[in-house]
Amino acid sequence: AAARTITTGNVTGATSLVLNAGTGGIALNTTGTGAMTFTATNIFDVNASATVSIDSSGNAINIGSDANAFAINVGTGAAARTITIGNVTTTTGLVLNAGTGGIDIGNTAQVRTINIAGSSASVNQTVNIATGASSNGTGHTVNIITAAPSAGGDNVVNIGNVVGSSTITIGGNSALSDVFIGTGATDVILGGSTGRVGFFATSATSKATISGSRANTEQALKDLLTELAAKGLITNSTTA
């Protein structure tokens, strides 16, 4: 039981080192503050027919933490598998950072479904997109389906398309916020056949029915102005 350096093998020519074991396996242990370092000037490959685990009970696990400009591939083998990152234990967080190269999710030519916050989540969840202030003064740009389908057909964007009570807010509360809907040769339909619509912070109402006789334009105009005001489209300041 003495501290010593034990060297096995050498790096001369085609020298190799082979460690074999039966069912008892191979154990490499270090105690105290001693580090275990593996250095290869060529490929370093780890294969197993069972689970491969990398764990640390006392500090961070770093993969690709050196400043080397080479790709890091996880789960890129051509096999159907489920790749899980992170967990849902208490305050666990997940951070994705990128430089000017950006972040691509599902950017290949496969038919797929991408769920954010879960398609069957049983708890309330909040999804924020570009909610922080821009630091360079140019503002954020959020694009949703800005290209036409390559094989024809139509793009479909569903927001709040669920059965039940939902509040959907588009646009901020700043006087500098502009909201454009259908800026090109676009058909815009507001409200379903049994839906209700309100404007300028007026409570939503059903599709209006204008009554009165066209022979009595005063009564018909009065009813029209009343209905338009009810939807918030005008302020009816007319007098009798």
Side-chain angles (χ1 to χ4, degrees):
R4 65 185 70 189
T5 299
I6 301 174
T7 302
T8 302
N10 62 74
V11 295
T12 303
T15 298
S16 64
L17 180 63
V18 178
L19 297 177
N20 291 322
T23 57
I26 297 175
L28 299 177
N29 297 313
T30 180
T31 60
T33 58
M36 186 176 293
T37 302
F38 294 91
T39 302
T41 58
N42 207 306
I43 297 173
F44 183 80
D45 198 4
V46 178
N47 284 295
S49 59
T51 302
V52 176
S53 298
I54 301 175
D55 293 301
S56 173
S57 60
N59 219 314
I61 298 175
N62 298 320
I63 299 177
S65 57
D66 285 346
N68 296 318
F70 300 101
I72 298 175
N73 300 316
V74 178
T76 56
R81 64 183 75 190
T82 298
I83 301 172
T84 302
I85 300 176
N87 63 75
V88 296
T89 304
T90 59
T91 58
T92 296
L94 180 62
V95 178
L96 296 178
N97 289 324
T100 56
I103 298 175
D104 291 329
I105 299 177
N107 192 24
T108 53
Q110 275 90 23
V111 177
R112 64 171 62 81
T113 298
I114 298 176
N115 296 315
I116 300 176
S119 59
S120 59
S122 59
V123 296
N124 295 330
Q125 303 199 40
T126 299
V127 178
N128 296 319
I129 300 177
T131 56
S134 174
S135 60
N136 60 5
T138 60
H140 300 297
T141 299
V142 179
N143 297 317
I144 301 176
I145 306 185
T146 56
S150 59
D154 297 317
N155 290 321
V156 177
V157 179
N158 296 317
I159 300 176
N161 187 21
V162 296
V163 177
S165 178
S166 299
T167 299
I168 301 172
T169 301
I170 300 177
N173 57 7
S174 170
L176 301 178
S177 297
D178 296 322
V179 178
F180 298 96
I181 300 178
T183 57
T186 306
D187 296 329
V188 178
I189 300 174
L190 298 177
S193 59
T194 59
R196 300 182 299 169
V197 178
F199 299 90
F200 298 105
T202 301
S203 297
T205 59
S206 301
K207 184 177 181 180
T209 299
I210 307 302
S211 61
S213 172
R214 282 177 289 179
N216 182 358
T217 56
E218 181 179 349
Q219 179 59 39
L221 177 60
K222 178 181 178 181
D223 194 46
L224 175 62
L225 294 175
T226 299
E227 293 293 348
L228 291 176
K231 291 193 175 300
L233 286 170
I234 65 170
T235 299
N236 188 5
S237 299
T238 60
T239 58

